[in-house]
Amino acid sequence: MVYTKRKIKKQAIIAIIIVIIVITLIITGILLFKHFTSNEYKLEQIGYNEKEITTLIKADDKILNKALTSDYDKDLIPLTKQKYFLWKNYNTYKEYIKDLATETNTIDYKDVVTKVNVNRNYDYYTHTKDTDMNQGNAILVNKYYKLPEQYAPEDIVEVSNWYAYGTMSIRSEVYDAFKEMFNAAKEEGITLIINSGYRTYEYQKEVYEQYKDANGEEYADSYAARPDFSEHQTGLALDIITYGTSGEEFENTDAYKWLQEHANEYGFILRYPKGKEDITGYAYESWHYRYLGKELATKVKNSGLTYDEYYAYYLDKE
Ligand SMILES: [Zn+2]
């Protein structure tokens, strides 16, 4: 009896040990399998460091997938972190960074995203495309976005001398918006005067070619827009001044201060702000206002972006 009992006990212990070993092996196997098939392991194999892996695991699926399906990419995390990052520009960001890397070691990723979004990785008037006329009042016209050949808007109206210096015309919707703005400013003792409105293709061509004939293309490009690339040809742009000022002095006037605060309420934005010359392609022009409609003008103002940047991020449907 004693012998049998002891034998059974021994067999039971062996059985338990075997079960424990098997369970341990299974668990170890599962853990190893999990480890070698985990995204962390795969990212490590691709070449990402611990910090990058932590970031990528928490990033959205598209970013993680890009990392898992491509070679190691040092720019992936800093690029996708930028507020105005656009996936469709990814390869162009990379090309631009490659070009920059030969000049400098530190990459300003915010600047890369901004520049590429507005085509500033290309020289002015290169890589131009036809602007999307379906955007209506929101059309973008700059040194990369071109109006249809010899474009002329249909609803151009003559501006009364009451509002302008000389003979001027503008699109009727813009005229109505300007009159509303004019009256509001007038109530606060401010007089807004239109100094330039709609300019025809022919006019712009003449101006541009005069500059070009006199001093060459580079000079002409720094002083005038090429025909079909001018905002004034859209009939949606106005140069605004007030009594006793011209051009550069306008920014020191109460009229300018008033416009800074209220222009968006009537559908206008300052189109070429100070410090953004390299984005807009134009020198700061305190007098040049672009009509977008009240809602869009307010959104653009609140974004703090130039219209070129805003359009690229929020409106471009390509
Ligand atoms: Zn202008």
Side-chain angles (χ1 to χ4, degrees):
M1 277 302 272
V2 173
Y3 173 76
T4 317
K5 246 187 189 171
R6 196 180 288 168
K7 199 178 169 188
I8 289 169
K9 203 174 169 190
K10 199 178 167 189
Q11 279 172 343
I13 289 167
I14 290 169
I16 288 165
I17 289 170
I18 288 171
V19 167
I20 288 170
I21 289 171
V22 169
I23 289 172
T24 311
L25 283 174
I26 290 171
I27 290 171
T28 311
I30 289 171
L31 288 177
L32 282 173
F33 179 77
K34 266 193 158 172
H35 173 70
F36 288 118
T37 56
S38 72
N39 287 336
E40 284 90 339
Y41 178 75
K42 285 181 196 160
L43 290 169
E44 197 188 321
Q45 292 303 301
I46 293 168
Y48 288 98
N49 66 34
E50 216 173 301
K51 206 177 149 206
E52 289 170 322
I53 292 169
T54 314
T55 307
L56 288 168
I57 293 297
K58 281 189 276 184
D60 74 50
D61 285 355
K62 202 163 180 189
I63 299 169
L64 179 59
N65 271 329
K66 174 94 179 164
L68 288 168
T69 54
S70 322
D71 289 337
Y72 175 73
D73 182 350
K74 68 172 171 53
D75 305 313
L76 178 64
I77 294 170
L79 275 176
T80 52
K81 255 196 337 211
Q82 302 308 315
K83 188 172 177 190
Y84 298 109
F85 167 84
L86 293 167
W87 276 110
K88 66 170 180 180
N89 288 341
Y90 198 84
N91 292 335
T92 320
Y93 296 139
K94 290 290 290 178
E95 281 164 31
Y96 187 53
I97 289 168
K98 222 164 127 191
D99 291 342
L100 288 175
T102 55
E103 297 160 23
T104 168
N105 285 323
T106 45
I107 305 290
D108 180 347
Y109 287 97
K110 188 181 175 205
D111 191 58
V112 167
V113 168
T114 301
K115 292 281 168 61
V116 170
N117 285 2
V118 300
N119 302 299
R120 284 296 294 118
N121 52 317
Y122 304 121
D123 289 336
Y124 295 133
Y125 299 115
T126 64
H127 288 76
T128 58
K129 46 188 156 189
D130 296 334
T131 200
D132 176 7
M133 294 306 286
N134 293 323
Q135 298 272 2
N137 289 340
I139 52 168
L140 179 66
V141 176
N142 62 21
K143 289 173 179 175
Y144 302 95
Y145 285 83
K146 184 179 182 288
L147 284 163
E149 201 74 26
Q150 302 191 34
Y151 172 76
E154 281 164 13
D155 56 343
I156 290 292
V157 292
E158 190 100 346
V159 174
S160 153
N161 277 343
W162 182 251
Y163 303 107
Y165 280 159
T167 311
M168 220 71 75
S169 60
I170 197 70
R171 289 186 62 178
S172 66
E173 187 182 339
V174 184
Y175 192 28
D176 291 342
F178 178 80
K179 284 190 272 190
E180 203 189 332
M181 183 161 79
F182 177 93
N183 291 332
K186 200 85 190 164
E187 273 179 36
E188 296 185 38
I190 286 157
T191 306
L192 303 175
I193 303 162
I194 301 176
N195 197 33
S196 184
Y198 170 58
R199 293 181 202 156
T200 63
Y201 168 85
E202 289 76 18
Y203 175 85
Q204 196 65 32
K205 191 170 183 240
E206 208 184 295
V207 170
Y208 180 79
E209 277 172 5
Q210 271 173 12
Y211 280 121
K212 196 175 159 185
D213 291 345
N215 290 300
E217 193 174 82
E218 201 179 318
Y219 178 85
D221 282 337
S222 62
Y223 283 95
R226 295 187 187 179
D228 286 335
F229 289 89
S230 169
E231 267 209 335
H232 283 283
Q233 198 185 325
T234 66
L236 298 167
L238 292 176
D239 290 345
I240 300 173
I241 55 166
T242 189
Y243 290 133
T245 61
S246 65
E248 256 120 74
E249 295 158 23
F250 184 62
E251 71 166 314
N252 302 317
T253 63
D254 288 343
Y256 173 75
K257 271 181 226 135
W258 189 90
L259 285 169
Q260 285 297 98
E261 260 178 69
H262 301 290
N264 67 296
E265 295 162 25
Y266 304 91
F268 294 90
I269 59 155
L270 179 73
R271 182 64 180 86
Y272 306 124
K274 194 183 259 178
K276 305 283 182 173
E277 294 82 355
D278 202 22
I279 297 171
T280 62
Y282 284 90
Y284 167 51
E285 291 187 1
S286 58
W287 57 87
H288 183 105
Y289 293 81
R290 163 65 193 271
Y291 181 74
L292 292 171
K294 292 174 188 179
E295 200 187 324
L296 183 56
T298 302
K299 282 183 184 168
V300 174
K301 185 190 182 186
N302 292 342
S303 75
L305 298 171
T306 60
Y307 192 54
D308 312 86
E309 294 165 272
Y310 188 94
Y311 185 92
Y313 191 76
Y314 292 105
L315 299 175
D316 193 1
K317 294 192 178 80
E318 267 175 54

